Amino acid sequence: MSSATVHSGGVVIVGASHGGVQAAAALRQAGWLDAITLISDEDALPYHRPPLSKAFLTATGDDNLMPIKPWAFYETGGISLQLGKRVTSIDAARKTVTFGDETLSYDKLVLATGAAARKLPLPDFTNLHYLRDLSDARRLRPALHAAAKLVVIGGGFIGLEVAATAAKLGKSVTVLEAQSRLLARALPPAVSDFVTQMHRNAKSRVLFNAVVKTVEGTGQTACAVVLEDGRTFPAGLVVIGVGSLPNTELAASAGLTLAEGGILVDGHMRSSNPDIYAIGDCAACHNPFSDQVARLESVQNAVDQAKAAARHITGSDEPFSAVPWFWSDQFDSKIQMAGLPFDGATEILRGDPATGAFSVLHLEDGVLRAAYSINRAADHMAARKLITSGQLLDTGCAGNPDQPLKDCLASAPAGPVGNAST
Amino acid sequence: MSETIKIQFRSADDTTHDVEATIGKSVMEAAVMANVPGIEAECGGCCSCATCHVFSLTQWGEPDEDEDAMLDETASPRRDQSRLSCQIIVRAEMDGAVFVLPEQQ
């Protein structure tokens, strides 16, 4: 069969997770009337990913999967949702994408291709798991319920969330972290220590400087994880969470410029080709809050970048400028982060970690740049506003957990005075 | 089949949406599954984003500490009736309940 190019025109979005779906929704909200085609290589109606390492794994029976939008959203919105289709190539000169034996033309292309789990060079053991998408979670769930001993390689967010879920299910859990503390790149030491203690309180083992050498097994079954220093940890189930790699093959084949491992985009999420945008985990964007080109992996980043791309496609010049924020639920604690880590921060501890509720604030020249909150949602929400506004903080007030953070503004020595009292 | 009741969402422009809500699930999920415009629910219901803000005409319990903090930062200003709909779990006695949507999420 010969394949003809279908002239959809309009916007074609590759990838239908948080970023891709939000791009379609934001385009319609902004009044885009032309065609929108949303292509997913998964079969499921696009779904919320964060629960895959938490509530989804705990559940039995009912899938407990939450769609980002219902079918009616795509039908009534005139969004052509193409499920189970993998885009194999982009012809940037002719402005077409090819998936299966179909070729579709576009006016604007949005790449929301996400990232894949970084794989370790290990044999294909059947009880060795990564967790990124629904098919991974569906494979992991029964294995987790059946397992007695779980070894998690990598003390990052996904690994720790799986570890917490497994501990709550009564499993024996060992977390092997190669660095000297958990989440060293994302969290300050006080928060890392709290997270470590939470896992240890649940009887999980957490080991640092634990560099994995190999996983030993018999036939198709992994039996033990072996460290470089020779220590060996028997395992019925191994979950690996050692970061991710952005899906940039399509972008590279289309000749787009890459940076920081992702697709380089400007403040409007436009790649080096003005008709191709990239959003979410796969995009490397200059972040005004860190003044760095960075690739961020979070729902918030994908959603806000999708909105920025949709704005630009529909003719607005308002650039992307959202404060990055992220959350992780482990055991009964909510860890919320706003802003990005940076070097040379002045640190303020707000509250006593021993109480189970505290925040670590990172300031630069008296201005809040990042905040890490454990069970202090009000601090997190206030921090998002304070990082955006860049107002000077009263550090004494900010260090007092009984004072609402949002009220901890310094009485500015210079600048507009307004109705300031003495 | 899970038991369902009827609840109503009323948009800022007075458009009404009568939707089925499953007992035990959240009011936010009922809105999302019925494609009610004006409920974003970006975080999927874990009380992290404050984009499922509603004004509840009947008081169905008090917001907890987290929800209370999030409500201080909603896009449309908070009122006495403000709740995050992901934190309201549907119960049988809510049949006919009305939730008014704010202008912005």
Side-chain angles (χ1 to χ4, degrees), chain B residues 51-67:
Chain B
T51 61
C52 65
H53 182 198
V54 293
F55 305 116
S56 178
L57 295 196
T58 310
Q59 192 178 343
W60 304 109
E62 291 283 332
D64 69 10
E65 203 180 321
D66 275 5
E67 183 186 344

Side-chain angles (χ1 to χ4, degrees), chain B residues 3 8-9 28 30 48 50 55 58 67 69 73 85 87-88 91 93 98:
Chain B
E3 205 186 327
Q8 185 181 78
F9 294 93
M28 176 276 285
S48 277
F55 305 116
T58 310
E67 183 186 344
E73 309 295 340
S85 57
Q87 301 300 303
I88 309 174
R91 310 191 299 265
E93 62 265 35
V98 177

Side-chain angles (χ1 to χ4, degrees), chain A residues 317-355:
Chain A
D317 258 347
E318 188 192 334
F320 169 67
S321 79
V323 173
W325 59 267
F326 185 72
W327 81 91
S328 176
D329 294 325
Q330 295 174 34
F331 300 104
D332 295 322
S333 286
K334 187 182 280 295
I335 308 161
Q336 292 171 299
M337 294 136 272
L340 294 174
F342 65 101
D343 291 332
T346 305
E347 184 164 298
I348 295 177
L349 180 64
R350 195 173 146 75
D352 180 357
T355 64

Side-chain angles (χ1 to χ4, degrees), chain A residues 131-177:
Chain A
L131 180 55
R132 242 354 258 190
D133 62 18
L134 180 59
S135 63
D136 295 335
R138 282 199 172 133
R139 192 175 149 252
L140 174 58
R141 181 162 61 183
L144 185 65
H145 285 260
K149 272 187 202 300
L150 166 69
V151 173
V152 176
I153 299 177
F157 286 111
I158 290 178
L160 291 171
E161 287 173 359
V162 172
T165 303
K168 282 200 279 190
L169 291 171
K171 310 301 178 185
S172 155
V173 178
T174 302
V175 178
L176 302 174
E177 168 54 48

